[in-house]
Structures are given as structure tokens and as C-alpha cells.
Amino acid sequence: MIEARAAGGTCLNVGCIPSKALIHAANEFHAARHLAGENPCGITTSAPAIDLGRTTDWKDGIVARLTGGVAGLLRKAKVRVIEGQARILDGKTVEVETAEGAVRLRTEHLVIATGSRPQALSALPFGGDILSSTEALSLRQVPGRLAIVGGGYIGLEIDTAMAKLVAKVTIIEAGPRILPQYDADLTKPVAARLAALGVTVLTGARAEAFAGGVLSVTTAEGSREIAADKVLVTAGRVPVVSGFGLEELHLDRRGPFIAVDAQCRTSMRGVWAIGDVTGDPMLAHRAMAQGDLVAEAIAGKKVSWDKRAMPAVCFTDPEIVTLGAMPGTVPGAEVAVFPFAGNGRSLTLERGDGFVRVVCEPSTGLVLGLQAVGAGVSELAGEFALALEMAATLTDLAATIHVHPTLGETVQEAALRGLGRALHI
């Protein structure tokens, strides 16, 4: 394995893990501030403060522990790890620039897993006070005023955390609403929560330039200026397909991505690709599943990509889980919804916003898709994925005993409602 930085890829080093650590710290701080005022739990505390530098050190410690664990697993598996920058010379040869000099490797199989990087904007190049998500996750002070360009899941996850840390946050989204990859029903509870946190959301707006602590923005109503100490650009991610000689292979492409078949083979024999370079969805768990598939294929097993379920989670507040068919995407499909306002566990957590939704085939009850928006619903993603992988029906979900009181009961309740046997609504 050739790795230019620490093992673990984007997710572990500058993505999923550090962002969830920041989100957790922000939630704890927000809860402490909530308890410092009048609250229904009857708890009295003093006004809290946060040292974001210490928070970042704690986050970095978690990342170091996990990357160290990955390095240990590689050693245990007797994987040779070379630290350095690789360059592909041909489909069987790679040269690596290391601290000790150049190393040339010959191989039977070449797996490309170079991941993705933040998408830059020509009007807002990264550097100084213009941040990518990587720099935003390493801030040591909470910015007083933060402008976020892009209302997708990456921007909103960091935005929500910063708002809870009492930054004054403004979101600039070019589309008509935030989280455009989700339907409006799923995003409404998130928008309501952002408003409650004091976040300003500008939709149909474009950021034009940043200078002197002022972000120039164009909206349908005209131009306006937004004061900002930092600007976070979250315009999406793009695959890393340059800078290491990939062009020497002349592989087939699918847009900016490397084209692969059902075994993750590229158009060149013996060359494989996995993860973000192969296209959407850019998810760590998809890349891991692809890695397992390629290892088995290289070992001679007859395997092929046959996954029915690819769950995705947006770690906003409330969280969003999506899987499979969405309402309106399958002709004739029926939809059943159960609100968290009718769930006892949600109410004891002081949260009744959001819902669980099941999309099913009407004649058989076959589950085609599951979605949820609510506090803590990311933990339902596994049940959702299992239901689709096992080709569950509404009857299967309704007949499965769920522990009371838990958030997961809403899955059973939604299925019962779809069967016309709703108990608690």
C-alpha cells in the first residue's frame, strides 16, 4: 500500500471522524447552554465556555488513535506500507518518491483508491480566511462570523456545529433550498432547527468575492454584503484523478470519474478502482464494500456488486437518513409516514420533530425505500439497510418486535400504518 499521508483516507483523517467529533462537542456545549437557562428538566447550571483549541486536540487524539489502529491492522496482515507520493508509469509499474529516495514497484494488480478533495471555486480560492472543510475541522477558535458557501450536507453539518458554538452563521445556497439532494419534507425540520439556532439562510444566492472581511453576494433582489471573519466553501467534492500519472493509462471515464464494471475493474486488465474516484455516492462505507469486493475478485472468487442498499446519512440537527426509492420515483408506490411526535422515546429526549417514512410496492408490500429525519436517526440506518437487503415487506417490519421505548419503534409504526393497522396515530 502506498500512502502519501496517514492511513485511513479522507473519512478518518479529514472527514467523517473529525466532523462527528466536532458535532458531538458542539452538541454538548449547546446542551450546557440550554441547561444554564430555564428548561423543562429543572436543571440549573452556570453559563458554559468552550476552548476550541482543546476540543481540536481531543479530536486529533481520536483520529491518531484510529489511524494508529489501522496501521496496526496493516502490520498484522503483513501489508508492506510505503509512505510517499506515487506516480503510475504504466499498468504494471509505479514509482514512489519517499524520504529515502525513489522506489520502483512492479505489480500484477493495481488498485486506484485516491479518494476525493474539496471542490474549489474560482471566485473563492482556498487560503487565508477562505476555508475548505479540512481547515474548518482544525479551527482553534470559534469564528465570530462565519459565511458558508454551499447548502449541501457537508456545509450544513459544520454550520450546525458552529451555530451551536455561538458563531453567527450565514449560509449562501445557489439553489432554491438547502440540501437540494433531499426532498422538501426531509429538509423542512432541518431548516426549522437552523432558524431556531439563529442561522441566516440565503437561497438563490451566489457568492462573488471576499475581501476585507466582506463577502459579496448576488441574490434575486440584488447585491448584498455579508460581514464574515471566515468563509467556508463547501461546493462539493471532486475525485482525485490527477497528479499521480493516471493519464498514462488512458482509462475509460464516466464524466470526471473512472469507469468500472460490477467487479470494480477498469478498462485496463489488472487495473482496478474503488471509492470516490469511481463516482457517487461518495461514501466511506461504499468504498469499504468495494475494497472487499476487489480483494475477493483478485483472490479468484466469483463475486460481483449486488448490493441492494446504500444508506446515506446527513449528520445535521435533526439527522437525515435516506435509502432506496424516494416518494414519487417509482410509479404506483405507496408511502407510509410515522411522526416522532408520537414516539415516547423522542419526547423524553425533548425532541418530537421529524418522522420515519416507508416507500413500498402496494400489491406485495415489498419495501422499496426508507427515509427518516429526526434526532439520533443515524442509528436507524443499519435497520433500514437490512430491510432492503433481505427484501423485507411491510408485514415483516410490522411483525418484528421492537424494544419499547426506542426511536426504532417508529419503523414498526410506519409499517403498521402502511398496512392500515396504525396503533399510535
Side-chain angles (χ1 to χ4, degrees), residues 156 177-194 312-327 329 335-338 340 351 353-359 369-375 377 380 384:
L156 287 200
R177 58 184 176 82
I178 58 170
L179 298 172
Q181 64 269 53
Y182 302 109
D183 63 73
D185 288 338
L186 288 172
T187 59
K188 283 177 183 176
V190 178
R193 185 68 164 164
L194 290 175
V313 176
C314 180
F315 289 89
T316 46
D317 181 8
E319 296 172 344
I320 299 175
V321 179
T322 57
L323 177 64
M326 305 287 280
T329 59
V335 179
V337 178
F338 189 84
F340 281 109
R351 297 295 294 268
D353 49 336
F355 56 84
V356 167
R357 185 172 69 193
V358 183
V359 181
L370 289 145
Q371 297 89 42
V373 55
V377 296
L380 297 180
F384 287 6

Side-chain angles (χ1 to χ4, degrees), residues 191-213:
R193 185 68 164 164
L194 290 175
L197 291 170
V199 175
T200 299
V201 178
L202 302 179
T203 55
R206 293 187 179 276
E208 304 292 349
F210 178 67

Side-chain angles (χ1 to χ4, degrees), residues 13 23 28 40 73 99 135 140 214 226 233 248 280-281 307:
N13 286 281
I23 289 169
E28 294 290 282
L73 292 171
E135 291 82 42
R140 301 191 68 82
V214 175
I226 298 171
V233 177
E248 299 295 330
D280 292 321
K307 306 295 184 186

Side-chain angles (χ1 to χ4, degrees), residues 3 26 31 33 121 126 155 194 224 233 249 256 267 292 319 326:
E3 176 56 64
R33 291 187 71 238
L121 296 177
F126 296 132
L194 290 175
R224 60 183 297 177
V233 177
L249 303 184
S267 57
D292 283 343
E319 296 172 344
M326 305 287 280

Side-chain angles (χ1 to χ4, degrees), residues 365 367 383 387 392-403 408-419 421 423:
V367 176
E383 179 174 356
T393 65
L394 288 182
T395 301
D396 294 325
L397 296 183
T400 299
I401 296 175
H402 286 67
V403 173
E409 287 179 283
T410 53
V411 180
Q412 183 181 26
E413 293 278 7
L416 285 167
R417 192 174 190 187
L419 294 169
R421 295 160 42 202
L423 293 176

Side-chain angles (χ1 to χ4, degrees), residues 100-117:
E100 291 74 34
V103 176
R104 183 166 291 194
L105 303 172
R106 293 283 294 171
T107 182
E108 294 180 47
H109 299 276
L110 174 63
V111 181
I112 300 166
T114 45
S116 61
R117 58 174 172 78

Side-chain angles (χ1 to χ4, degrees), residues 196-266:
L197 291 170
V199 175
T200 299
V201 178
L202 302 179
T203 55
R206 293 187 179 276
E208 304 292 349
F210 178 67
V214 175
L215 180 67
S216 300
V217 177
T218 300
T219 70
E221 290 75 35
S223 299
R224 60 183 297 177
E225 295 184 336
I226 298 171
D229 301 304
K230 302 285 183 183
V231 176
L232 170 59
V233 177
T234 57
R237 298 184 68 85
V238 292
V240 176
V241 291
S242 62
F244 58 95
L246 182 65
E247 60 276 5
E248 299 295 330
L249 303 184
H250 303 287
L251 301 178
D252 289 348
R253 296 289 188 90
R254 184 170 53 81
F257 304 106
I258 300 173
V260 295
D261 66 10
Q263 288 187 312
C264 292
R265 298 178 188 270
T266 70

